[in-house]
C-alpha cells in the first residue's frame, strides 16, 4: 500500500501519529522557511508542511519543485495546525513531512482542478480524466453510484431479480433508428443494439420470473438534441400478475425510498393526473407542479367582443405570472419577442396587468372592459400585483407555446427550486398518435402497450381516442419514467400490429417469437423504465445529465477523448463482408 | 393484484383463509368426483382441489378443461390436506377452489417443464421463455442475481464506486477481434464494442476515482468454442495507489465473502503459486487443487536405461492415479487411446501398477527394474494400489497432455466435487509469449501490464523470461479472474508498445489518449476482472455457463429464439454508408 490513510480522514485524534499519504498536489505555497502543499485524493485534502528547520534539506528542496497535479507519496508526523480551518475535515492538523517520493510528475493541467474551472466544455471533454478530478464531476459520479445501489437494494428486497438481457439482438424498423453490428459468422446479417430490453423482459414474464429489473445500457441512433446521448442507462422493470395500480404503487414506493434515502426528503403520496388534464392545465404531459401558474381557458370570457384574433382562435388561454404586475413595457415587449421566436412560434401575446387597487390595465383595453378582465383574472387565478399573459390559436400549438412561457417565467422567477421535489403520475395516455408525415397512426408508447379494455371498440371508429394503460412518472417537469400494462395475448397483439400498419408477414418476421410466446401461457404483465441519467441529474439538483456520465459523447456522437468513432482496417471490413459506400 | 399470496407461501397457519392465487397449471389429475391441480409460480407450487360436491358445477367443469401451462387465477379457501407432503413448503394445505378464471390458455409446451426435461438443447433455446420456467434454469438466474448483489454490496462497502463506462468505443487491432458499429453521423467511421473497459478504468484511476468496479457486458468476435459467448459479463475492478499484494488481499476478501455468503463455506487464506510452479506441477496455469495427483518429473530416474523414447524426450513426467491399480488391460488400453486422440496428442503412454505387496508391474519392465519403478513411485507419490501413468516428449506439450489426463482421471474418480471449493492465486505470469505464427512476442495479459521492475533489463536480452506483475485467481480448475499492476508512465508504456511491434504512429493513433493521460499525473494502479458467467456457474456447482445466462447464443453466435442476427433493410445500410460485399 502506498498509504496508511487517505487524504480525508486525519484529524486531531491522530496527532503525533506517523502516517503515509499519497495523492495529487492541489497547490503549494512557499513563505520564507516554510512550504505548504495541499495533497488531494478522492476523499479530501490534507495540508503538508515542509519546514526548512525541521525537514531534511533534500526533502525540502524537492518539495519546492512540485508542480500542480504531481502524484506524490509522503511520510510524516501528524501535528496540530497553527491556523485551523474549520471548513475542512482535516483542518485541525497538518503533516510535517519527513520523506517525499514523486510517484509521477505532471504536465500543467489544461484547466484548473477547481469547482469552478476555467476550462470550457470541449477541453474538459477531451481531458475528461482530468475533469473527473474536479469535485462537481467526481461527486456526481459517486452520487450516481449511490442512486444505483439504492435502486438495486430496494428492488432486490422487494423480490425483484436483476436479469441481464442480451446486447446483440435483432433490428426492428419500428421506433427509433437502431445501431447495428455486422456479424462475421453470419455474413450479410446484422445484430442490433437494444433500444430497450422490452421484448426480453416480457419474455421473462412469460418465463415466470415474476419480478424483473435491470440497470442496463440502451442505444438509439438519433440525431442528438442537446443533453441526449446515443447510449443511455435505464432502470428497466417488469412484473407479472399485476394491474396498473400495482405498478404505480411499487415504483412510487421506489421513488419515495430514493428521495428519503438519497435526499432525506419525505414526499406525500404522488398526485395522479390524466394526460388530458395535464395537457389542458399545463400544456404539457410532464408538468412541473412545484409551482402553480395553471392554465385558464378564456374562450367563454374572451370571444364575445370584437377582437378578431381571439374570435378566430380555437383556444384562448392565459396564465397569471405571480408578482409580475410591475414589469416594464420594455420587459413585456422582450417577453413577447421571446414567445414569437421560431422555437416557440406564437404570433403575438396579450397581457393584463392586475393593479393593486383591483383595476386592470391590458394591451386589449380597446376591446375588453374591466369586468371582462376581472373574469380573466378569476379564470387564471391572478391576484393583485400579477400579470396575466394570454395566447390564442390552434389548441395543440397554443398549449405548447404557453407551456414554454410558463416554464421560462418560472425559471426567471426562481420557482423551479432544485432542492424541491414534486413527483406525480400522468396516466391514461392515448394509445396512438397520428403522424402527419406517414399519414398513419403510431404507437405513442410502443406496440406492446395494452389499450384500456373499455376503449377497445373505439379502435375501429376513432383510434385517436383510445386510451392506453400507460403512465409516466414526472418529476419537476421531467419525464423520469414511463411504462404500461402490456398486451399478453396473441390476438390483441396481432390486431395492434395491424392497426399500426404492419403486414401479417412483417409482424411475423419481426415479432413472431413474442406472439408465439403469448400462446404458451403468458401471464398478464406490465412494467416501466426509468431514465437513470436524467433521474440522477434531477435528484442531484442539476439540469444537465453530462456530469453524471463518466465519459459522455458530444452532440455528434463522438467521444473526443479517445477519438471514436474512427476508421477501421480494410481487413476488418472484409471479414465482416461489408464495404464503405463511398469507397471506389 | 391478481393474487393475495404467491404459490410458495401458504401453510397450516393460513387454514380457513380466503385467498387468491395466480400461476401456471403444472399438472392436473382427476379421480372420481375430485380434480387436483398443481398451480406453479416462481415461488413454489400449491395444490388446488376441485370437489364436485363442494365446488360449483361450472367451476368444476372448467377445471377439467385446464391444460398444462394454462395461466389461471383461482379464489378459494385454504384447507388442511388429507395426505400431507412434507417435501413441499405448501405440503400441509390445499385450496378448495370456489372461483376459477383462465387468464390465458396455452398450447402444449414443446418439452416438459420438469427438472429433467425431455427437451434437447436446441428446442430449449428456441423456446427459452418456456425453458426458464424449469427450476434448474430459474434457480440459476436467481442465483446469479444473488451473486451480483453480494459482489456489489461488498465492494460498495469497501469504498468501491461502480462507474459505467461507454459501450460505443474505439476499435483497436490488438487482442481479439472487435464487434464494430458503423456510425451514421460520422460516415465511414465505426465504433467498437468493448472487449473490456480496460483503458477507461485506467483513466478513472488517472481521474482520481481511487476504487472502481463495474459489472459490465464485454464483447469478443471470436470463433466460439463450446461454452463461450460473444457477449459475456465481467466484474471489472481497479484500484489506485496499490501494489500487487493489496489487490490480492482485496479480491481474495471478496471471493471469501462470496463463498461464505452464497455457499456458507469458510475457506482458508488462498495458496499462492507461481506460474512456473503451476506449469511444472500441474501442467496448467489454472490447476484444480481439490485433489493431488501432482506431476512427478522422472528425467533423472528414467533416462539412464536403454529406453529410447524416454532418452530422447525433453521431459519424462508421471502422475499417480489413486486406487487405479486394479484397472484392466482393456481399461488401460482405452485410456492410452484417449491420450492419443488428436485433441490431446500424446504419442503413447507408459503405466506402472503399484501392487499391494510393494512390487511393481509396468509396460516397460523390459527396460526398468523394480528399483527404478520404486523411485518413480516415490517421485510421483504413488502408493500401493495406485497406477502411475507416464508421458514423455517436448516439455510444453507433454505437460498439457498430462494435465488433460489428470483432469480426466479426476473426473472419472469423482475427485472434482462440485460442492468443494479450492481457490488459489497463480502469480508471476510471463509478460510476453512468443507467437509462432506472427514470429513476434505478444502481451500474455495485455499491453498495459507492468513488468516486474527487477526483470526490466531482460526485456532487451531475453523477453520471454520477463515476469509480469500479473495474477490469476483460479477456482476448481478454472480461471475465474485475472489482472495486473499496470504501467502508469508514458515512457514504459511507449517502450512496451515498441516491444509488441507497434510503430510509434500506431501506438499514438490507438492509445495516444492513454499515454497523454499518463503525463497529467497518473497514480500507480492495478486491478483485475472476474468472469461473472463462469464464477456464477462454478459457485452454482455447474460445469457450463449456459443456464446462468437468460438468453444465451449458440455456437454460431445466433440467438435462435429471436432469430438474430438477421438481414437489415437496404435503407438502413444506405444510411450507414455501407453495403454488403456480396451484393452486386
Amino acid at each position: 500500500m502506498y498509504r496508511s490513510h487517505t487524504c480525508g480522514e486525519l484529524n486531531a485524534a491522530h496527532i503525533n501519529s506517523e502516517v503515509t499519504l499519497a495523492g495529487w498536489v492541489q497547490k503549494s505555497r512557499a513563505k520564507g522557511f516554510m512550504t505548504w502543499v495541499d495533497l488531494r485524493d478522492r476523499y479530501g485534502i490534507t495540508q503538508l508542511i515542509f519546514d526548512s528547520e525541521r525537514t531534511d534539506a533534500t526533502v525540502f528542496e524537492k518539495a519546492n519543485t512540485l508542480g500542480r497535479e504531481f502524484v506524490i507519496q509522503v511520510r510524516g508526523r501528524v501535528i496540530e495546525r497553527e491556523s485551523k480551518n474549520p471548513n475542512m475535515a482535516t483542518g485541525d492538523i497538518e503533516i510535517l513531512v519527513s520523506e517525499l517520493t514523486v510517484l509521477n510528475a505532471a504536465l500543467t493541467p489544461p484547466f484548473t482542478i477547481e469547482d469552478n474551472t476555467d476550462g470550457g466544455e470541449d477541453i474538459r471533454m477531451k481531458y475528461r480524466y482530468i475533469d473527473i478530478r474536479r469535485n462537481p464531476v467526481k461527486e456526481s459520479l459517486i452520487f450516481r453510484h449511490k442512486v444505483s445501489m439504492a435502486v438495486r437494494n430496494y428492488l432486490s428486497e422487494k423480490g425483484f431479480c436483476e436479469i441481464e438481457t442480451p446486447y446483440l439482438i435483432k433490428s426492428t424498423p419500428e421506433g427509433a433508428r437502431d445501431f447495428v453490428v455486422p456479424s462475421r459468422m453470419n455474413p450479410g446479417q446484422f445484430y442490433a443494439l437494444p433500444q430497450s430490453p422490452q421484448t426480453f423482459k416480457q419474455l421473462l414474464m412469460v418465463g415466470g420470473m415474476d419480478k424483473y429489473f435491470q440497470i442496463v445500457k440502451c442505444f438509439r441512433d438519433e440525431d442528438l438534441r442537446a443533453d441526449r446521448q446515443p447510449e443511455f442507462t435505464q432502470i428497466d422493470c417488469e412484473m407479472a400478475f399485476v394491474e396498473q395500480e400495482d405498478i404505480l404503487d411499487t415504483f412510487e414506493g421506489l421513488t419515495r425510498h430514493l428521495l428519503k434515502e438519497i435526499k432525506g426528503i419525505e414526499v406525500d403520496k404522488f398526485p395522479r393526473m390524466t394526460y388530458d388534464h395535464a395537457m389542458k392545465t399545463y400544456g404539457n404531459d410532464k408538468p412541473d407542479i412545484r409551482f402553480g401558474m395553471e392554465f385558464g381557458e378564456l374562450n367563454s370570457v374572451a370571444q364575445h367582443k370584437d377582437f378578431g384574433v381571439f374570435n378566430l382562435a380555437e383556444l384562448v388561454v392565459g396564465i397569471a405570472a405571480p408578482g409580475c404586475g410591475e414589469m416594464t413595457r420594455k420587459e413585456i415587449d422582450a417577453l413577447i419577442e421571446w414567445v414569437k421566436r421560431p422555437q416557440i412560434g406564437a404570433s403575438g401575446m396579450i397581457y393584463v396587468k392586475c393593479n393593486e387597487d383591483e383595476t386592470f390595465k391590458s394591451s386589449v383595453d380597446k376591446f375588453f372592459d374591466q369586468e371582462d378582465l376581472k373574469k380573466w383574472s378569476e379564470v387564471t387565478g391572478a391576484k393583485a400585483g400579477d400579470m396575466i399573459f394570454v395566447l390564442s390559436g390552434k389548441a395543440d400549438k397554443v398549449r405548447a407555446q404557453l407551456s414554454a412561457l410558463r416554464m421560462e417565467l418560472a425559471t426567471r422567477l426562481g420557482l423551479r427550486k432544485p432542492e424541491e421535489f414534486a413527483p406525480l403520475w400522468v396516466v391514461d395516455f392515448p394509445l396512438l398518435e397520428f403522424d402527419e408525415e406517414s399519414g398513419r397512426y403510431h404507437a405513442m408508447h410502443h406496440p406492446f402497450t395494452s389499450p384500456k379494455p373499455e376503449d377497445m371498440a373505439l379502435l375501429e371508429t376513432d383510434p385517436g381516442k383510445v386510451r392506453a394503460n400507460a403512465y409516466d412518472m414526472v418529476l419537476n417537469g421531467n419525464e423520469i419514467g414511463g411504462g404500461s400494462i402490456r398486451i399478453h395475448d396473441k390476438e390483441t397483439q396481432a390486431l395492434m400490429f395491424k392497426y399500426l400498419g404492419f403486414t401479417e408477414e412483417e409482424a411475423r418476421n419481426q415479432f413472431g417469437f413474442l406472439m408465439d410466446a403469448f400462446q404458451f401461457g403468458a401471464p398478464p404483465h406490465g412494467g416501466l423504465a426509468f431514465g437513470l441519467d436524467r433521474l440522477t441529474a434531477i435528484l442531484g439538483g442539476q439540469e444537465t445529465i453530462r456530469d453524471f456520465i463518466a465519459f459522455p459523447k458530444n452532440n455528434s456522437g463522438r467521444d473526443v477523448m479517445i477519438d471514436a468513432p474512427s476508421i477501421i482496417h480494410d481487413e476488418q471490413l472484409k471479414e465482416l463482408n461489408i464495404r464503405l459506400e463511398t469507397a471506389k
Side-chain angles (χ1 to χ4, degrees), chain A residues 13-133:
Chain A
H14 298 90
I15 285 170
N16 282 324
S17 309
E18 279 290 315
V19 298
T20 308
L21 298 182
W24 287 262
V25 172
Q26 174 75 19
K27 64 178 179 200
S28 68
R29 81 196 146 89
K31 194 177 162 189
F33 305 109
M34 310 277 254
T35 296
W36 291 270
V37 169
D38 277 358
L39 188 68
R40 188 197 71 233
D41 68 10
R42 172 178 137 193
Y43 312 95
I45 287 180
T46 300
Q47 182 167 293
L48 312 179
I49 180 165
F50 301 82
D51 168 345
S52 62
E53 303 218 335
R54 291 179 287 176
T55 304
D56 178 84
T58 53
V59 172
F60 186 75
E61 211 166 295
K62 208 195 285 177
N64 287 315
T65 66
L66 296 175
R68 271 164 57 205
E69 301 305 312
F70 273 45
V71 183
I72 63 171
Q73 182 188 38
V74 295
R75 203 176 146 72
R77 191 159 50 84
V78 182
I79 60 175
E80 191 172 357
R81 231 202 250 193
E82 263 180 42
S83 55
K84 298 192 175 47
N85 182 344
N87 299 320
M88 261 175 94
T90 64
D92 286 348
I93 57 96
E94 57 193 355
I95 312 296
L96 179 64
V97 176
S98 54
E99 289 173 37
L100 165 64
T101 310
V102 174
L103 299 173
N104 218 341
L107 300 178
T108 304
F111 48 85
T112 57
I113 318 289
E114 303 284 350
D115 290 6
N116 291 306
T117 180
D118 58 355
E121 180 87 358
D122 289 351
I123 194 137
R124 286 175 46 212
M125 289 304 138
K126 182 165 165 58
Y127 298 99
R128 183 62 161 179
Y129 47 85
I130 300 177
D131 197 31
I132 289 173
R133 292 182 197 159

Side-chain angles (χ1 to χ4, degrees), chain A residues 389-405:
Chain A
F389 293 106
V390 182
L391 295 174
S392 64
K394 206 165 166 310
D396 285 3
K397 290 201 172 139
V398 81
R399 283 190 177 122
Q401 291 157 3
L402 195 62
S403 171
L405 177 65

Side-chain angles (χ1 to χ4, degrees), chain A residues 204-451:
Chain A
L204 287 171
M205 295 304 103
V206 178
M209 292 308 301
D210 207 69
K211 290 177 178 178
Y212 146 92
F213 83 102
Q214 189 182 189
I215 299 187
V216 62
K217 273 281 176 76
C218 300
F219 304 85
R220 265 179 219 172
D221 184 13
E222 291 298 296
D223 297 323
L224 299 175
R225 283 182 276 158
D227 219 29
R228 280 270 184 114
Q229 290 282 320
E231 49 178 303
F232 54 96
T233 307
Q234 284 194 351
I235 307 167
D236 193 49
C237 309
E238 197 81 3
M239 303 170 78
F241 298 113
V242 289
E243 292 162 304
Q244 177 167 315
E245 195 58 29
D246 307 309
I247 308 239
L248 300 194
D249 269 1
T250 303
F251 295 100
E252 180 166 328
L254 169 64
T255 310
R256 289 158 64 96
H257 172 77
L258 288 180
L259 284 166
K260 182 79 172 59
E261 174 106 352
I262 304 281
K263 305 296 295 183
I265 290 171
E266 304 254 14
V267 291
D268 289 338
K269 198 161 164 48
F270 293 8
R272 307 223 179 138
M273 195 182 288
T274 64
Y275 172 86
D276 284 346
H277 181 81
M279 294 308 286
K280 252 175 105 77
T281 314
Y282 301 97
N284 199 308
D285 62 2
K286 43 179 199 279
D288 190 339
I289 58 168
R290 281 175 296 184
F291 57 96
M293 298 174 72
E294 297 182 3
F295 289 12
E297 298 198 348
L298 301 170
N299 290 40
S300 63
V301 292
Q303 290 185 320
H304 59 300
K305 292 290 169 71
D306 265 354
F307 189 52
V309 174
F310 281 4
N311 293 345
L312 293 168
E314 185 185 355
L315 178 66
V316 182
V317 60
I319 49 171
C324 290
E326 293 308 316
M327 278 175 90
T328 64
R329 183 58 206 246
K330 201 174 151 195
E331 288 169 332
I332 294 170
D333 283 346
L335 205 59
I336 292 172
E337 286 312 306
W338 189 89
V339 297
K340 286 165 82 174
R341 294 181 315 152
Q343 301 96 305
I344 313 291
S347 49
M349 183 161 67
I350 304 307
Y351 62 88
V352 182
K353 182 180 169 186
C354 308
N355 295 320
E356 295 293 346
D357 63 0
E358 302 201 350
T359 64
F360 301 93
K361 175 83 192 84
S362 84
S363 56
V364 284
D365 281 353
K366 263 197 282 186
F367 300 95
F368 298 96
D369 57 28
Q370 289 289 312
E371 200 169 323
D372 291 328
L373 300 180
K374 185 166 195 307
K375 280 186 188 148
W376 296 12
S377 76
E378 285 163 11
V379 174
T380 58
K383 291 183 180 52
D386 291 358
M387 183 80 81
I388 304 169
F389 293 106
V390 182
L391 295 174
S392 64
K394 206 165 166 310
D396 285 3
K397 290 201 172 139
V398 81
R399 283 190 177 122
Q401 291 157 3
L402 195 62
S403 171
L405 177 65
R406 177 177 176 269
M407 295 298 269
E408 174 68 17
L409 285 170
T411 302
R412 294 190 191 180
L413 294 169
L415 301 175
R416 304 193 66 197
K417 303 193 182 95
E419 291 302 317
E420 192 179 323
F421 294 92
L424 76 153
W425 287 107
V426 176
V427 298
D428 294 358
F429 273 79
L431 181 70
L432 305 167
E433 56 186 347
F434 193 75
D435 180 53
E436 304 284 349
E437 205 179 313
S438 59
R440 62 177 180 87
Y441 282 98
H442 284 264
M444 190 152 184
H445 191 53
H446 55 50
F448 315 110
T449 298
S450 164

